[in-house]
Amino acid sequence: MRPYAHFTLNERICLEGMRNAGKRPSEIARLLGRSRSTISRELRRNGNRQGRYSSWGAYSKAVARRRRSVRKRRIEKEPELREYVRERLRLYWSPELTAAMWNRAHPCGRIAFATIYRAVRDGLLEGVAARTHLRRRGRKRHGMRGKFNTIHPEHTIHERGREIEERGSCGHWEGDTVRGASGKGGLLTLVDRKSRMLLAVKVGDFSGGTLYGAVMRAFRGMPPKSLTFDNGSEFARWKDMERDLNATVYFADPHSPWQRGSNENVNGLLRFFFPKGCDFSALSQEDVDRKVALINLRPRFCLGLRSPLDVFCCT
């Protein structure tokens, strides 16, 4: 059976000319390579009340009919799905994560994350927009900036044991900073390698003493087993950290952020809430803690769709 193809404007112009010349539908069908029923249906559906046929009039009717026949998308037709997606996006979940969690609970009613992206783009989810609720906000990634090797470590990342490398247990942390506008402070961020649990401490500057104090506050009552930092001068008091926390401090290679991938990725999540140029001096630690809680309660693909808090507390 031949695949069905809609009439083109050129076919309708030819049809109008042959109709005005008095040709019968069967003859028109043979000349256009169409079936007789197709020609009869076209004349009946797109002719006017007087039985006359206009190619432009027929084309306009067909286009209008096709626009009206577009079926509604699932998110428009299914209130439960729409509300589920809307509430998760308002918690700043990604469309990929939202789709995965829905599909886990509804294996017979799966949805693609691309469908959610389209729904956001087309404004189908009230109170949700790409610029306010999606991590990238439609912006392109920027290149990573390198750092000078200002630290001369005793232990490098290449000396870490198998347990740390394979994320065998909680307590092995990666550390970095998130900077705000010039002179407006920032954050010390610490991420557990196994659970991806995030700790973030607001700091007013990035001196060695300030960062030392922030690390000590972060681990009060919860001593780490090891720490891995980059080579920034803000971690110059790493020997004091080793002594006071009784934990080994490792340093990544210069210009190698991928060696602390867990920390870099979570810093990207934080940047959604605190974009570059943010004035951290106008924020409190409680403001930071609320955003950190959203990240720690969010299920993660790398954790089998468990949350960092769940993994950290159950390990």
Side-chain angles (χ1 to χ4, degrees):
M1 184 175 66
R2 291 177 57 189
Y4 177 76
H6 291 285
F7 263 91
T8 65
L9 178 57
N10 286 336
E11 284 183 309
R12 288 189 167 100
I13 292 173
C14 293
L15 174 56
E16 180 184 9
M18 288 187 279
R19 179 68 171 174
N20 292 338
K23 295 186 181 295
R24 298 172 60 83
S26 57
E27 188 176 1
I28 296 174
R30 180 175 56 80
L31 293 172
L32 290 179
R34 295 276 191 169
S35 68
R36 185 183 183 283
S37 61
T38 299
I39 300 300
S40 299
R41 183 169 56 250
E42 172 67 17
L43 293 171
R44 183 175 64 254
R45 295 182 73 191
N46 294 326
N48 61 22
R49 294 181 180 179
Q50 289 74 37
R52 295 183 61 83
Y53 182 85
S54 166
S55 57
W56 278 103
Y59 179 75
S60 299
K61 288 181 180 180
V63 170
R65 192 181 298 115
R66 194 176 305 169
R67 287 175 178 169
R68 291 195 302 269
S69 68
V70 175
R71 64 181 180 180
K72 288 187 176 181
R73 284 167 281 191
R74 282 189 63 197
I75 286 183
E76 293 180 279
K77 294 190 296 183
E78 300 181 23
E80 179 188 359
L81 172 61
R82 182 172 63 251
E83 191 61 22
Y84 180 93
V85 171
R86 179 172 172 270
E87 290 302 317
R88 269 55 185 185
L89 293 180
R90 292 184 68 180
L91 290 174
Y92 306 103
W93 288 23
S94 68
E96 290 86 350
L97 177 58
T98 301
M101 294 300 288
W102 171 269
N103 294 340
R104 170 185 277 191
H106 304 82
C108 296
R110 299 173 65 83
I111 188 171
F113 64 82
T115 302
I116 300 176
Y117 275 111
R118 284 195 295 270
V120 174
R121 181 195 63 199
D122 295 341
L124 301 181
L125 302 169
E126 184 181 356
V128 175
R131 290 184 61 82
T132 55
H133 291 82
L134 297 185
R135 177 177 172 182
R136 297 295 174 194
R137 295 188 173 96
R139 298 175 182 170
K140 295 181 179 180
R141 290 179 180 233
H142 297 284
M144 294 178 293
R145 295 178 299 174
K147 293 185 178 180
F148 293 103
N149 186 9
T150 58
I151 298 291
H152 301 285
E154 288 184 4
H155 304 286
T156 71
I157 196 170
H158 305 289
E159 300 173 31
R160 295 193 308 192
R162 184 173 180 179
E163 179 184 352
I164 302 176
E165 290 299 315
E166 297 183 356
R167 306 177 190 267
S169 64
C170 292
H172 301 286
W173 299 78
E174 296 177 2
D176 199 2
T177 57
V178 171
R179 295 174 179 260
S182 179
K184 300 298 182 180
L187 301 174
L188 164 72
T189 63
L190 298 154
V191 178
D192 180 66
R193 281 182 55 78
K194 178 177 176 64
S195 67
R196 277 67 168 188
M197 181 78 170
L198 169 65
L199 304 177
V201 180
K202 179 177 174 287
V203 294
D205 60 72
F206 296 92
S207 65
T210 298
L211 267 294
Y212 165 76
V215 170
M216 300 307 295
R217 291 198 302 276
F219 289 119
R220 186 177 297 141
M222 186 179 60
K225 298 177 183 177
S226 73
L227 294 165
T228 302
F229 296 126
D230 65 12
N231 282 266
S233 61
E234 60 267 28
F235 299 114
R237 291 188 61 180
W238 60 272
K239 286 188 177 180
D240 294 334
M241 298 178 198
E242 280 193 329
R243 181 194 66 229
D244 296 337
L245 295 172
N246 192 28
T248 303
V249 175
Y250 300 93
F251 285 91
D253 295 332
H255 318 303
S256 304
W258 58 87
Q259 293 180 342
R260 298 173 299 100
S262 297
N263 201 178
E264 292 289 336
N265 181 62
V266 174
N267 281 357
L269 298 178
L270 272 173
R271 277 297 187 192
F272 176 85
F273 301 108
F274 307 114
K276 291 184 178 180
C278 176
D279 183 0
F280 284 97
S281 64
L283 301 174
S284 66
Q285 182 63 46
E286 289 72 22
D287 295 327
V288 175
D289 291 342
R290 281 192 288 270
K291 304 307 182 185
V292 170
L294 286 174
I295 294 173
N296 285 334
L297 290 171
R298 180 191 301 183
R300 303 285 293 276
F301 283 108
C302 60
L303 301 176
L305 296 180
R306 298 171 68 191
S307 71
L309 185 62
D310 182 33
V311 175
F312 188 82
C313 293
C314 295
T315 302

